[in-house]
């Protein structure tokens, strides 16, 4: 089969399309013919070595497609099932072997590409808004990169829960998309977003900041919180946040700080099915719009990473094998 392989950490150019042997489904696994692989920021961290994985590696955690075969002990899935997943490995490929416990069936009203686009960022937005800090009517949240993949979904889910959303973006074009998703926007490349948040909340600050940008926003995110507010640092698109003195949480208002990850919010089969079921259900019923920014052939994985890293995407990037 064709797959993207990375032999050593580096820039986007280290991702090469190569021929490799087809994977075989092991015990408890299903072999999935990938129809769309989701591109995520974590794939960049894996490619650069920022999050350590052994090399050589085939990038990609997210995908959707059709079950081609199942390994021993798999009873819940059979060849021909349409499935999606966010916690596989090696999805920048025509085939991937995935633990059956990580798969979900795709509802008939949701396309395979929509499912590939929604699993990782959609379930992330879901756990942030419903579990890490469960938003309620009357709350105001700050969402960074509100026109991004997670950002647009998180904004919509926050609105579904009745919260007010302030969303940061780097351009007017992105502001338009974030507003369509339900945010009141702040151009954080032009103005001090913490000052804007104080102005827009009558000086009170927000109950929660969802920060996936990291190094460039972390400190001012703390400055944007109300007393006893919650700082949710869930990513580092601009770089890693340096170590902090916990005393700062006291000085800025007895704040809570958490650094969550999707794996811990989909630990059991029940939690995975309930989160994925709600996200895919909202898509099926039209309550949640997943914006696919661009579909690229698998061979253009390097271009996909360049687009994501240079802040030129607004929504999901998909890699499509076989085109
Ligand atoms: P996005 O589509 O949001 O792309 C990243 C966005 O971050 C950019 O478009 C840009 O928006 C903003 N940004 C600000 N500074 C930079 C910079 N220096 N370089 C690149 N981008 C920058 O990506 P995703 O939706 O895939 O992911 C968003 C974040 O969520 C990432 O940090 C990712 O790691 C994290 N994540 C965490 C998960 C978890 O469970 N913890 C799971 C999934 C994602 P703008 O131009 O408007 O500033």
């Amino acid at each position: 089969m064709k797959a993207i392989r990375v032999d050593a950490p580096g820039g986007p150019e280290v991702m090469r399309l190569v021929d490799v042997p087809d994977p075989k489904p092991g015990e408890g696994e299903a072999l999935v013919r990938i129809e769309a692989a989701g591109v995520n920021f974590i794939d960049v961290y894996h490619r650069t070595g920022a999050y350590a994985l052994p090399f050589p590696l085939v990038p990609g955690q997210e995908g959707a497609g059709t079950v081609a075969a199942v390994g021993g002990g798999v009873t819940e899935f059979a060849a021909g099932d349409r499935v999606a997943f966010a916690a596989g490995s090696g999805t920048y490929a025509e085939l991937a072997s995935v633990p059956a416990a990580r798969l979900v069936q795709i509802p008939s009203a949701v396309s395979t590409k929509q499912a590939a686009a929604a699993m990782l960022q959609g379930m992330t937005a879901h756990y942030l808004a419903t579990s890490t800090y469960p938003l309620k009517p009357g709350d105001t949240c700050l969402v960074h990169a509100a026109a991004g993949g997670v950002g647009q979904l998180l904004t919509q889910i926050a609105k579904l829960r009745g919260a007010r959303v302030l969303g940061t973006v780097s351009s007017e074009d992105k502001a338009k998309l974030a507003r369509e998703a339900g945010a009141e926007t702040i151009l954080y490349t032009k103005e001090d977003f913490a000052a804007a948040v104080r102005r827009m909340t009558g000086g009170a600050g927000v109950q929660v900041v969802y920060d996936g940008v990291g190094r460039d926003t972390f400190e001012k995110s703390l400055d944007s919180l109300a007393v006893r507010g919650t700082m949710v640092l869930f990513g580092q698109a601009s770089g890693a946040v340096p170590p902090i003195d916990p005393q700062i949480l006291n000085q800025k208002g007895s704040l809570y700080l958490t650094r969550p990850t999707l794996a811990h919010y989909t630990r059991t089969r029940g939690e995975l099915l309930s989160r994925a079921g709600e996200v895919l259900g909202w898509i099926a019923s039209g309550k949640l719009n997943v914006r696919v920014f661009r579909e690229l052939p698998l061979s253009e994985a390097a271009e996909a990473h360049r687009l994501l890293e240079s802040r030129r995407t607004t929504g999901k990037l998909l890699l499509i094998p076989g085109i």
Side-chain angles (χ1 to χ4, degrees):
M1 68 163 182
K2 300 275 186 213
I4 295 291
R5 196 177 61 206
V6 179
D7 291 319
E13 70 286 349
V14 298
M15 294 193 291
R16 287 200 205 90
L17 189 69
V18 293
D19 286 300
V20 296
D22 287 2
K24 304 241 175 313
E27 184 76 16
E29 290 184 336
L31 182 68
V32 180
R33 182 161 296 284
I34 305 288
E35 286 166 37
V39 176
N40 292 288
F41 235 96
I42 196 164
D43 307 338
V44 173
Y45 309 145
H46 288 155
R47 189 205 73 221
T48 60
Y51 290 1
L53 281 185
F55 289 91
L57 62 85
V58 177
Q61 298 200 331
E62 183 180 40
T66 308
V67 173
V70 294
V74 176
T75 53
E76 205 184 329
F77 297 94
D81 285 352
R82 261 182 352 116
V83 293
F85 55 94
S89 59
T91 62
Y92 289 14
E94 290 176 320
L95 292 162
S97 265
V98 185
R102 307 314 297 171
L103 293 178
V104 301
Q105 303 274 6
I106 303 174
S108 57
V110 176
S111 73
T112 307
K113 285 179 182 170
Q114 278 177 312
M119 286 297 284
L120 201 149
Q121 292 169 338
M123 287 199 293
T124 298
H126 186 278
Y127 85 71
L128 292 172
T130 67
S131 301
T132 308
Y133 178 94
L135 288 165
K136 54 188 183 309
D139 283 340
T140 302
C141 64
L142 176 64
V143 174
H144 285 308
V150 173
Q152 288 188 46
L153 294 162
L154 180 53
T155 299
Q156 293 175 72
I157 295 173
K159 295 301 283 186
L160 284 176
R161 291 181 67 86
R164 179 182 178 206
V165 181
L166 311 183
T168 58
V169 288
S170 65
S171 70
E172 283 296 349
D173 286 350
K174 289 188 174 188
K176 186 166 175 289
L177 285 169
R179 279 197 293 271
E180 280 168 18
E184 297 162 53
T185 53
I186 301 168
L187 266 180
Y188 62 173
T189 38
K190 294 236 167 72
E191 71 172 317
D192 177 334
F193 71 81
V197 166
R198 290 287 160 196
R199 190 181 67 240
M200 293 161 91
T201 57
V206 295
Q207 279 64 54
V208 54
V209 179
Y210 298 111
D211 188 341
V213 171
R215 187 179 56 205
D216 292 355
T217 45
F218 182 79
E219 220 172 300
K220 282 192 188 296
S221 293
L222 296 180
D223 292 334
S224 304
L225 283 163
V227 169
R228 287 158 59 179
T230 301
M231 170 69 189
V232 183
L233 176 68
F234 69 96
Q236 51 183 57
S238 67
V241 175
I244 64 155
D245 175 357
Q247 184 64 7
I248 200 170
L249 301 174
N250 155 23
Q251 288 158 0
K252 291 185 187 281
S254 298
L255 305 178
Y256 297 87
L257 167 65
T258 181
R259 176 52 175 98
T261 193
L262 176 61
H264 296 148
Y265 285 85
T266 47
R267 282 181 77 202
T268 63
R269 178 103 186 113
E271 192 170 15
L272 170 69
L273 291 180
S274 115
R275 263 188 224 293
E278 195 155 34
V279 169
L280 296 175
W282 283 335
I283 294 169
S285 66
K287 282 186 179 165
L288 188 65
N289 176 36
V290 187
R291 185 167 195 273
V292 175
F293 169 76
R294 198 169 297 171
E295 296 176 19
L296 290 169
L298 185 58
S299 55
E300 290 185 30
E303 175 62 8
H305 279 210
R306 278 186 205 105
L307 289 168
L308 188 60
E309 288 179 86
S310 61
R311 302 168 81 160
R312 279 180 287 157
T313 61
T314 48
K316 192 71 194 178
L317 272 169
L318 292 178
L319 292 176
I320 313 295
I323 60 167

